[in-house]
Structures are given as structure tokens and as C-alpha cells.
Amino acid sequence: MTTYDLDKFKGVFVAMYSAYDEEGNVCTDRVKNLAKYYVNTGVEGLYVGGSSGEGVLQTVEERKKMLEAVMEAVGDQLKIIVHVGANSTKESIELAVHAEKCGADAISSIPAVYYRLSEDAVENHWQQMIDSTSLPFIIYNIPQTTGFNLTQTLFKKMAAQDKVIGVKMSGESVYELQQFKANAGKEFLVFNGPDEQYLGGRIMGADGGIGGTYGVMPELFCQLDEYFKQGEIEKAQELQAAINEIITRLLSFPSLYGATKAILQLRGVETGIPRSPMLPIKDTDWAEVEKLNGVIERLVAEHTNTAKK
């Protein structure tokens, strides 16, 4: 039985974007403004330094700077999960220790990328992070980018530890998500990763979700979660379908994060452009970005008003 308060991790967590200045350096003022933007949207918290946050493209010091700004801005208002995964275990431990020092609520990590590591190597990599702090640990399984698909054998071994409280399941199979829940028990947290199947993940046992596109439509994912909890499945299906159309359009730009950062810019939230090799939107894309932002804002108004009736 875990000694951690798991309820505070249930719900919608925004996988927070990076925020740079015009020279491409981490800008703490922009980080703080972005973090504050999410405070009154209904989300439970932020997932800092993950895929959407470009953590693997940043130095250790930049990642620390990002977290420190987030904690200063909203650490007492939102739950903060910090992705500390890096290619070297040494850097991952350094980031984990820093997260605990900053007052984060939990840490999380992918396996190291590039090298095709054995299960024993990945287990050792994660275990050293787990042992380096008193914080709860959330496994991040995203095989399509890391090349490592977490097996149920290793998962059950990791999940047996008190400190390991959950898994962010970003694989594409809700069956695997359901198996993680089944093999670890009802107390264990499972976060849906693929934004386009949030509802499917919740139906199959996920306790909430962590996602990148939440960052430009957090209210829609919170309302989707509310429809699910209220048993209004037809409304949830309708909203998930609308969200998926938005995601499809976001994926049509040179990069997803270039598009989401552009949408935030239209709303007065400056975050700069993605770090190379990821691409910003093209000058010719602005009209489409404005249309898409309009679609999101109309859906937010529509479903917020519907929920109040």
C-alpha cells in the first residue's frame, strides 16, 4: 500500500511547453507567464521538461532554470511532475535531486534514448533516479520515440515498489494501458498519453492524462474528463472527435510545437519558437493558425456554456 497521496495526481496535467526569448535562450519571465496561464483553466497540474517541453533538447542547467521558474510562479497552486530523464543516469539523478529541492510533487522519466538498452539497463537507470530522492516516481513509456517498449514483466517489477506510483502510457494501444492497470492494481496510477484517445484511455482505466496539445485547449480536455466522470459518454465522444480534428490540423504544420506556440502567441502568451531541429510555422501559415485558434475558442465557449446548463 502506497504512503503517497495519489488522489492529487488524478485528472488533467498539461505537458508544458518550453519558453524561449528571441535568441532561443530559456526566458524565465515567459516560463512564469505560461505557467500562470494554466492556473484557472481547471487542470490539476503541469508536467515539466517532457517531450512537449523539449527537455531532451536542453542542457541540464536550462532544465533546472525552467523548473525553478515554474515552481516560483505556480508551485503552490498546481501539482508539478518533473520529467528528469536524460541520456546519462548521472544527469537524470542530478535533475531528480534538483526537483526534490525545488519542492516538486513527483518525478518521471523515459528510458535513455539512442542506445538500444536491455531491460536490466533501463531498470538500473530508473532505479538510480528512484533511490536518489524521496519523491514518488512515474514511469514514462513512449516506445515510438525511445525505441523501448516497457514489458509487463519489467513493469510489474517496478510497480511493486512503494515509490513507483504510476505510468504515463504514451503507446498507442489502450489494451496495453488496461494491462498496466490490471497488473499493478486499482491503486496504481495510469496516465493516458495519446491526446487523441483520451476518452478511450479513461474508459479502459486511466486515472487522467498528460498531454501536449492540452496546452492550447486545456478547458476542452477538462470538460472531456468531466463528461466522462458524469457518464455523459455521447457528449464525451462528440468532444473527443472535435479535439481530434484540431489535433489533425495541428499535425499538418512543420511541427506540432511550432503551431501550438503560435496559437499561444495569438493569445498574448509569448513562448518563442521551438528549438532546432524542430521547426516554427511558416509565415504563410498564420492565417490557418488564426482559424484554428478560432475553432478552439468557439468549442471552449460552446462546451463551457453547455456544462453550465
Side-chain angles (χ1 to χ4, degrees):
M1 182 67 68
T2 182
T3 58
Y4 298 103
D5 176 12
L6 301 185
D7 286 340
K8 70 180 185 179
F9 295 108
K10 295 179 179 179
V12 176
F13 280 76
V14 172
M16 186 173 161
Y17 308 129
S18 57
Y20 304 120
D21 62 21
E22 303 311 319
E23 284 70 48
N25 301 310
V26 170
C27 177
T28 54
D29 286 342
R30 288 182 173 183
V31 173
K32 292 175 185 177
N33 288 339
L34 178 60
K36 291 175 183 177
Y37 176 76
Y38 297 116
V39 169
N40 296 313
T41 60
V43 302
E44 291 297 322
L46 303 175
Y47 187 90
V48 180
S51 303
S52 301
E54 303 173 42
V56 296
L57 298 180
Q58 296 173 347
T59 67
V60 168
E61 293 308 313
E62 285 179 314
R63 293 172 72 171
K64 289 180 180 180
K65 192 174 181 179
M66 280 281 300
L67 177 60
E68 288 166 7
V70 170
M71 295 303 299
E72 183 179 339
V74 302
D76 59 345
Q77 299 173 79
L78 296 172
K79 305 299 182 295
I80 308 299
I81 303 171
V82 186
H83 177 254
V84 300
N87 263 351
S88 79
T89 306
K90 180 180 179 181
E91 289 176 318
S92 299
I93 291 171
E94 184 177 347
L95 289 165
V97 171
H98 176 260
E100 182 170 40
K101 182 179 178 181
C102 287
D105 294 282
I107 56 174
S108 179
S109 178
I110 57 170
V113 297
Y114 183 74
Y115 294 104
R116 291 295 183 260
L117 299 174
S118 66
E119 285 198 357
D120 288 345
V122 171
E123 179 185 357
N124 178 67
H125 183 59
W126 280 335
Q127 192 63 53
Q128 290 196 56
M129 292 178 233
I130 293 165
D131 293 341
S132 69
T133 80
S134 63
L135 293 175
F137 182 83
I138 297 166
I139 297 167
Y140 185 1
N141 184 47
I142 182 165
Q144 60 268 44
T145 61
T146 63
F148 182 86
N149 194 17
L150 178 63
T151 65
Q152 294 297 329
T153 299
L154 177 57
F155 170 71
K156 286 189 283 187
K157 187 175 182 181
M158 301 300 298
Q161 301 182 57
D162 184 62
K163 281 187 184 179
V164 181
I165 63 167
V167 58
K168 179 179 186 289
M169 173 51 182
S170 291
E172 297 174 355
S173 168
V174 289
Y175 166 70
E176 286 186 83
L177 182 151
Q178 181 271 329
Q179 288 294 289
F180 284 136
K181 191 71 172 178
N183 284 325
K186 293 176 65 176
E187 292 289 318
F188 195 83
L189 297 170
V190 175
F191 297 90
N192 182 77
D195 301 3
E196 64 277 11
Q197 64 180 41
Y198 184 90
L199 178 60
R202 287 291 268 140
I203 288 173
M204 295 303 287
D207 299 282
I210 300 170
T213 65
Y214 301 8
V216 290
M217 44 184 165
E219 300 91 348
L220 294 183
F221 278 95
C222 289
Q223 189 56 53
L224 178 58
D225 194 65
E226 193 61 30
Y227 285 150
F228 168 75
K229 288 189 290 188
Q230 293 172 358
E232 298 186 80
I233 301 303
E234 287 189 12
K235 287 184 179 179
Q237 288 174 321
E238 176 187 337
L239 182 52
Q240 180 74 78
I243 286 172
N244 287 358
E245 288 185 21
I246 294 168
I247 293 173
T248 298
R249 290 171 70 175
L250 285 170
L251 292 171
S252 71
F253 293 98
S255 77
L256 168 65
Y257 303 122
T260 54
K261 286 170 177 283
I263 288 173
L264 288 173
Q265 184 179 339
L266 290 175
R267 299 175 187 172
V269 183
E270 295 284 353
T271 60
I273 63 174
R275 177 160 288 180
S276 181
M278 288 196 287
L279 298 171
I281 65 166
K282 300 174 183 177
D283 290 341
T284 53
D285 290 328
W286 276 106
E288 181 62 24
V289 169
E290 289 175 353
K291 289 179 184 177
L292 189 52
N293 183 53
V295 170
I296 295 171
E297 291 182 341
R298 285 193 296 274
L299 279 170
V300 170
E302 175 187 336
H303 285 273
T304 299
N305 291 335
T306 298
K308 289 178 179 178
K309 292 179 181 179

